[in-house]
Amino acid sequence: QVLVVDDVANGLDDLRAAIDEGKKCTDKPTLIKIRTEIGFGSPSKQGSASSHGAPLGVPEIEATKGRLYGCDPSQDFLVDEDVAAYFKEQADAGDQALAAWDADFAKYKEAHPDKANELERRFNGEIPEGAFDD
């Protein structure tokens, strides 16, 4: 099945709906065709070949940031505080999960040293000794 989404520039609701529709189809694959416009948001390069394969340039980037995304054009790279906080939460959760895994694996290693060593060898991508002796 082929689904077409004509406008993702003004929001992702149609794309989300197409994804949901695609998930309902279980007897064949789904292809979602999304129509976009090259250089979208760029005041003087939107829709033109000059926006493809070449940098927009500082003035055009600044104009696009302010016009389309409401960003501070003077910022080269900015991560909003709420986004940074979310990713910090995820990193902290990952650190906690890793600590729990390490503790569990230490217990496993005590109980099953040979099996734990084999797992560690595989985790490290090491080939077993004598694998190519034949």
Side-chain angles (χ1 to χ4, degrees):
Q1 102 174 315
V2 177
L3 305 174
V4 178
V5 177
D6 288 317
D7 183 15
V8 292
N10 294 305
L12 298 176
D13 291 340
D14 291 345
L15 178 58
R16 288 185 182 108
I19 291 169
D20 289 341
E21 183 67 25
K23 288 178 179 178
K24 292 177 190 173
C25 183
T26 59
D27 62 331
K28 57 188 169 187
T30 298
L31 174 70
I32 301 174
K33 180 179 177 181
I34 303 171
R35 298 178 194 268
T36 62
E37 185 170 13
I38 194 164
F40 180 78
S42 172
S44 62
K45 294 190 177 185
Q46 180 172 324
S48 72
S50 67
S51 67
H52 183 69
L56 291 177
V58 174
E60 195 72 12
I61 290 171
E62 289 177 351
T64 302
K65 284 180 185 179
R67 174 177 173 245
L68 182 63
Y69 300 107
C71 297
D72 179 352
S74 68
Q75 295 287 332
D76 285 336
F77 185 82
L78 175 69
V79 177
D80 287 334
E81 289 180 20
D82 59 333
V83 173
Y86 173 79
F87 276 92
K88 178 157 180 6
E89 286 175 19
Q90 298 307 303
D92 291 346
D95 289 344
Q96 291 173 5
L98 178 60
W101 158 259
D102 287 341
D104 287 344
F105 192 71
K107 291 176 193 172
Y108 180 81
K109 194 170 184 174
E110 260 185 53
H112 309 282
D114 291 339
K115 291 180 180 180
N117 287 335
E118 176 63 13
L119 279 173
E120 286 178 325
R121 180 193 64 75
R122 292 177 184 219
F123 291 158
N124 294 328
E126 297 168 357
I127 297 172
E129 284 187 37
F132 299 109
D133 286 351
D134 291 349

